[in-house]
């Protein structure tokens, strides 16, 4: 925790410089400036992976307050809050927010499956349907419920439990080749209570998926339990 605070102080000093420039990057005129920016870049990536919803402007403001000895928190209080937030607090808040996210999607016209997955079929696609064991070529966007985009990609993948989360296994077969679907995904069908880098515990997710091409699987590629 002590190391985290030391690195955070250095990184947000860099963030403060970026903010004062009013541009997308800081003006680096000295070796120390470059060091600050390098440390800030490293911590920025780390902070995003830890919790991508953090506000960098407030982070920078807190460091300025600490430097001016005007902080409303002691280091001990800050450390205790971070510890609580990153364990019990975050998981609890995300669970409640995820439930509301799915409920709002249903109110807005999404259909649901018994598992709790909500979905909207934006385009049904052709007669060649997606099935477990198929290879699929897709364009997709992964977003948080607040609309923040985490990933946008074109990829080829095998539709089986070893490669994809349960939401994809249930949702993608609802459309055919050329189809488009939006999945409003509860954490239980994504990355669960553990989360993963960049995705917090109990985090609900939204996937916008276009199936560009379907390559039918063979019995050898089908999951053993299907």
């Amino acid at each position: 925790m002590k190391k985290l605070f030391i690195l955070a102080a250095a990184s947000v000093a860099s963030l403060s410089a970026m903010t004062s420039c009013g541009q997308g990057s800081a003006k680096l005129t000295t070796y120390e400036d470059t060091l600050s920016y390098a440390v800030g870049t490293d911590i920025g990536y780390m902070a995003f992976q830890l919790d991508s919803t953090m506000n960098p402007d407030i982070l920078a403001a807190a460091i300025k307050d600490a430097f001016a000895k005007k902080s409303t928190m002691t280091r001990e209080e800050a450390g205790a809050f971070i510890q609580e937030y990153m364990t019990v607090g975050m998981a609890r808040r995300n669970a409640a927010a995820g439930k509301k996210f799915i409920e709002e999607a249903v109110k807005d016209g999404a259909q649901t499956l018994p598992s709790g997955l909500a979905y909207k079929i934006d385009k049904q696609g052709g007669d060649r349907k997606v099935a477990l064991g198929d290879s699929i070529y897709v364009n997709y966007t992964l977003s948080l419920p607040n609309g923040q985009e985490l990933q946008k990609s074109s990829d080829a993948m095998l539709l089986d439990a070893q490669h994809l989360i349960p939401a994809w296994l249930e949702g993608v077969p609802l459309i055919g080749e050329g189809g488009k679907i939006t999945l409003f995904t509860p954490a239980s069908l994504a990355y669960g209570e553990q989360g993963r880098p960049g995705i917090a515990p109990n985090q609900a997710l939204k996937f916008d998926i276009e199936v560009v091409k379907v390559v039918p699987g063979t019995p050898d590629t089908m999951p053993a339990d299907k």
Side-chain angles (χ1 to χ4, degrees):
M1 185 62 71
K2 183 176 180 181
K3 182 179 180 182
L4 175 62
F5 278 114
I6 292 172
L7 292 176
S11 67
V12 182
S14 176
L15 284 171
S16 298
M18 285 187 278
T19 301
S20 65
C21 289
Q23 303 294 328
S25 61
K27 183 178 181 181
L28 310 179
T29 58
T30 68
Y31 185 84
E32 288 75 15
D33 289 343
T34 304
L35 175 62
S36 297
Y37 192 81
V39 174
T41 298
D42 185 57
I43 297 303
Y45 282 116
M46 183 189 72
F48 184 86
Q49 290 183 334
L50 193 65
D51 183 353
S52 58
T53 65
M54 277 196 283
N55 187 326
D57 294 328
I58 293 179
L59 188 63
I63 292 298
K64 288 183 178 180
D65 287 346
F67 269 64
K69 302 187 183 302
K70 296 180 180 179
S71 177
T72 60
M73 286 185 178
T74 65
R75 291 186 68 183
E76 291 73 21
E77 290 171 339
F81 182 86
I82 292 171
Q83 183 66 28
E84 191 277 339
Y85 179 84
M86 298 308 298
T87 54
V88 178
M90 177 184 289
R92 183 175 60 244
R93 282 184 291 273
N94 283 345
K99 181 179 179 181
K100 183 177 180 180
F101 172 62
I102 301 300
E103 290 173 349
E104 291 297 325
V106 173
K107 288 181 182 178
D108 195 38
Q111 301 180 67
T112 58
L113 297 177
S115 64
L117 179 67
Y119 66 94
K120 285 184 178 180
I121 296 177
D122 306 299
K123 183 180 179 181
Q124 185 62 60
D127 293 334
R128 176 174 286 177
K129 302 301 181 183
V130 181
L132 294 177
D134 288 347
S135 293
I136 55 174
Y137 295 79
V138 297
N139 299 321
Y140 72 91
T141 301
L142 166 60
S143 306
L144 294 176
N146 64 7
Q148 179 181 340
E149 185 177 302
L150 297 183
Q151 186 177 14
K152 191 169 187 176
S153 180
S154 297
D155 209 348
M157 56 194 70
L158 183 65
L159 194 70
D160 72 6
Q162 293 183 346
H163 296 83
L164 298 173
I165 60 174
W168 278 58
L169 299 181
E170 292 190 22
V172 176
L174 297 174
I175 58 175
E177 187 174 75
K180 296 180 181 180
I181 191 169
T182 300
L183 304 180
F184 304 90
T185 308
S188 61
L189 299 177
Y191 301 102
E193 296 180 354
Q194 299 302 315
R196 60 173 294 178
I199 298 176
N202 283 340
Q203 178 66 70
L205 298 169
K206 177 185 175 186
F207 293 93
D208 293 288
I209 303 168
E210 177 186 14
V211 177
V212 178
K213 183 179 180 181
V214 179
V215 179
T218 66
D220 291 336
T221 64
M222 292 291 286
D225 60 344
K226 301 297 181 183

